[in-house]
Amino acid sequence: MSNNQENVKDAESQATSADDVTGLSTSEQKVKISEARDFTSKELPPPYAGMGKEMVLHHSGTPGWKRARKILLLVFWGSWVALLGSVIYITVTHPRCKLRPSMQWWQKTSFYHIYPATYLDSDGDGSGDLNGIKSKLDYIKGLHVETIWLGAFYKSPLEDYGYDVSDYRDVDGRYGSLEDFDGLLEEIHAEGLKLVIDFIPNHSSDKHTWFERSVARDPLYDNYYIWRDCGTQTNLSLPNNWLSISGDPAWTYHPIRGQCYFHQYLPSMPDLNLRNEDVRVELDNILRYWLDRGVDGVKVDSADRLFEDLYLRDEVSTNPSAVKDYDSLHHNMTRNQPEVLDMLNRWRGVLDSYGSPDRIMVTDTVGSPGDLKDYYGKTRNGGAHLPLNHELVQVTNVTNGIAISELISGSLDNLPESSTIHWMLGEQNGHRVASRVGLDKLDILHMLLLLLPGVPTSYYGDEIGMTSASSSTYLNRGLSRSVMQWNPDYQKCSGFSTNCSNILVNPSAATYNVQNETVDLSSHLTVFRNLTELRLEDTFVYGEFAEHIVTENIYSFRRYFDGMDTYLVSINVGDIAETVDMSTKVVDGSTQATVVALTGNVTEYSLDQEVDLSEIKLSPGQGVVVSWPYVIKQYL
């Protein structure tokens, strides 16, 4: 119903109300109602329909409205020009945020190195195996590591922990089968992890069919190893003065063949002759065999020893009076020969042929950071993705922040442009980290390992503070290969196996084990997990590195990147407590930060606590990581 109709009804209602018609005759009432209707139709105005087009045009042409439009137009365009100018000024004169660098998976990963024989025994035969590793993938993933580095698992007499290979295409029965390997690899990939395996091309076992046929002078294998005339077994005349790493002569006479063969390790581990193209093709095909099975990369064992001097010239003695001392010779004839890089480039080509994502090559060499420079691959088909850096492995007495600075700077200064550095703290061929530096300083070294720029490798058991074994074998290579300590039951081999006969268990298992440390918020395992989780933050993945305050006791560094939180890592490596003003290198005046990680022995601070950067106090063996939000700031 329209508004007019409603008004008429209201008027009619009013006109015919009792007060208006009472006492009137019927004819008079009709006249009254008729008058009311006439009044309604004549007096009520029509509804307002707005200003017409002609009227609008008439008013818009007046001087007042013209001035108003001009003023509004000038304000609009003036504001737009001012905004544009401001944007241009800020863009030109203010710092620009850097773009995140494009990185491949291997540049952002972290490695967890496992020796399979001592990780977990799944079938009760007393030996760790591949299925044991598979059963612990949840634990490994909970460490926030992304790549498993699997130690030697090939068929082997195990005279040197599996690095004496008798069949490169098979799994040793102690560890399982090829089907078990495939199952482990499938599960690793299903968990979003990667697998890198040991590739051992420098030598084989003397039980390998290649060596046996070479001994017999089979024409196809006669030149697979390095043979030289050397007199007779009772009247030896060795080809040169080269030594194996045990300090014994690097040449051993074989009575069947009537010649000496060269070996840089045990006599049961003869060096392959990589100058023989047939050997190189064999190794290429072995590499492809495992890549075809799906591994994500290989660690080339003893990469610097792949070739020897073609003319077998003597090495220079650095200590003529030394007896059975490998280091008494300068090994310029048996390591780092020019052909080594050519061989690595060849294998890099094999890896690159598998396309994206990258299949990687890690190289294991001995030498200074300067010696590693040539091993980095600067282009595709150009060497290793990651040469192993052993500098932190050499740390045995952590008491000086300046010495730590020199060690780290020496590695970073020798890093080729656009390369990714690698760090490792523990390894399988010497003492455990906790035994080298002490349990009281284990956590601060893990802060270094895990928060420095680059790719870290952690050796199994170091995350819980395992110490060196009490007994060992050849060249102390068993010191760090005692069984993984899963629970405190030392008498039942700490959860490693149900068959504990002849199992070497470290007595420290009663205290340092996964079960106990999982629930202890100050344990080495908890600290390790907190640090590996922190390492996943974008600042640590993409960020830059700068040393902060370095003293005799304190070593500290920043990790930062435009648009991201800044982190300051501070550790006390000395023997004296020290309070340091960490704010002196932050020129914006900010002195407040939040604690995001700390070692288990810190009582001065707690997680999420706000701290004053001008007064950071650390006792020996303590470390703390603090952060503050990104603002535009400049550093001295």
Side-chain angles (χ1 to χ4, degrees), residues 31-338:
V31 170
K32 189 75 173 178
I33 293 172
S34 176
E35 290 175 349
R37 287 176 175 169
D38 291 341
F39 170 81
T40 301
S41 62
K42 294 177 181 178
E43 300 298 328
L44 290 179
Y48 179 69
M51 187 181 292
K53 178 180 178 182
E54 293 78 6
M55 186 65 68
V56 170
L57 291 174
H58 170 73
H59 285 293
S60 66
T62 62
W65 280 106
K66 287 182 178 180
R67 284 194 300 272
R69 287 201 305 274
K70 289 180 180 179
I71 292 171
L72 290 173
L73 189 63
L74 288 173
V75 170
F76 170 78
W77 283 110
S79 300
W80 189 89
V81 171
L83 178 62
L84 178 62
S86 299
V87 170
I88 294 173
Y89 174 78
I90 292 172
T91 303
V92 171
T93 63
H94 285 67
R96 304 177 187 180
C97 288
K98 294 182 179 180
L99 296 176
R100 294 182 183 182
S102 177
M103 300 175 72
Q104 301 298 320
W105 70 265
W106 53 269
Q107 296 174 293
K108 300 182 287 186
T109 196
S110 57
F111 289 96
Y112 185 63
H113 185 192
I114 296 175
Y115 176 57
T118 53
Y119 200 65
L120 185 71
D121 173 17
S122 69
D123 56 11
D125 65 356
S127 174
D129 47 52
L130 301 180
N131 285 332
I133 296 172
K134 185 168 72 171
S135 71
K136 290 297 183 180
L137 288 181
D138 284 344
Y139 168 76
I140 295 170
K141 193 170 183 180
L143 296 176
H144 309 296
V145 295
E146 297 100 345
T147 301
I148 295 174
W149 164 10
L150 183 61
F153 59 89
Y154 306 104
K155 188 174 182 180
S156 167
L158 293 182
E159 294 186 40
D160 186 31
Y161 298 98
Y163 288 85
D164 48 326
V165 180
S166 58
D167 189 342
Y168 288 95
R169 288 182 171 85
D170 201 2
V171 174
D172 192 90
R174 299 171 182 86
Y175 305 141
S177 64
L178 279 171
E179 289 73 20
D180 293 331
F181 177 87
D182 292 338
L184 171 62
L185 180 57
E186 181 180 2
E187 193 66 25
I188 286 173
H189 286 164
E191 292 290 344
L193 304 174
K194 302 284 189 180
L195 179 66
V196 168
I197 64 172
D198 272 341
F199 177 49
I200 309 168
N202 178 69
H203 51 267
S204 75
S205 166
D206 61 354
K207 304 299 189 296
H208 198 294
T209 183
W210 296 346
F211 187 74
E212 293 172 345
R213 296 176 73 170
S214 186
V215 167
R217 295 184 182 269
D218 183 321
L220 294 178
Y221 297 91
D222 184 56
N223 199 29
Y224 265 47
Y225 297 85
I226 302 167
W227 297 96
R228 289 296 184 273
D229 292 333
C230 58
T232 65
Q233 191 163 11
T234 57
N235 187 24
L236 287 177
S237 177
L238 299 180
N240 54 37
N241 70 341
W242 295 352
L243 298 175
S244 68
I245 63 170
S246 66
D248 294 314
W251 297 93
T252 292
Y253 182 82
H254 199 290
I256 296 178
R257 175 147 174 157
Q259 286 184 308
C260 286
Y261 62 90
F262 174 66
H263 55 89
Q264 298 206 51
Y265 294 96
L266 292 171
S268 58
M269 301 162 67
D271 275 38
L272 288 161
N273 179 16
L274 270 72
R275 285 194 170 86
N276 182 344
E277 177 62 17
D278 291 339
V279 173
R280 293 197 292 269
V281 170
E282 292 268 21
L283 294 171
D284 292 347
N285 291 336
I286 290 167
L287 183 57
R288 290 190 180 94
Y289 175 82
W290 292 104
L291 292 171
D292 288 343
R293 298 194 90 91
V295 301
D296 300 289
V298 295
K299 188 272 289 185
V300 182
D301 187 67
S302 303
D304 54 336
R305 305 172 190 266
L306 295 175
F307 289 86
E308 304 76 29
D309 178 57
L310 178 62
Y311 304 103
L312 306 185
R313 290 171 288 186
D314 280 355
E315 293 185 324
V316 176
S317 175
T318 59
N319 184 7
S321 62
V323 178
K324 294 188 63 174
D325 182 2
Y326 178 74
D327 292 328
S328 67
L329 296 178
H330 177 54
H331 301 292
N332 60 323
M333 298 296 169
T334 53
R335 295 206 328 235
N336 296 313
Q337 299 301 296

Side-chain angles (χ1 to χ4, degrees), residues 493-546:
C493 53
S494 195
F496 165 75
S497 175
T498 57
N499 177 9
C500 297
S501 58
N502 301 317
I503 298 293
L504 176 64
V505 182
N506 196 311
S508 68
T511 303
Y512 300 103
N513 59 78
V514 172
Q515 180 178 306
N516 285 0
E517 295 191 39
T518 297
V519 296
D520 182 354
L521 298 182
S522 64
S523 69
H524 298 299
L525 178 59
T526 298
V527 171
F528 184 89
R529 282 174 167 160
N530 289 343
L531 292 172
T532 52
E533 185 173 21
L534 180 62
R535 187 184 173 277
L536 301 177
E537 293 292 329
D538 284 349
T539 302
F540 291 103
V541 175
Y542 302 103
E544 299 183 55
F545 166 88

Side-chain angles (χ1 to χ4, degrees), residues 395-398 432-445 465 467 524:
V395 175
T396 57
N397 187 20
V398 189
R432 288 267 183 186
V433 182
S435 294
R436 291 200 328 260
V437 304
L439 283 163
D440 58 328
K441 292 183 177 177
L442 176 64
D443 290 346
I444 60 173
L445 286 183
T467 53
H524 298 299

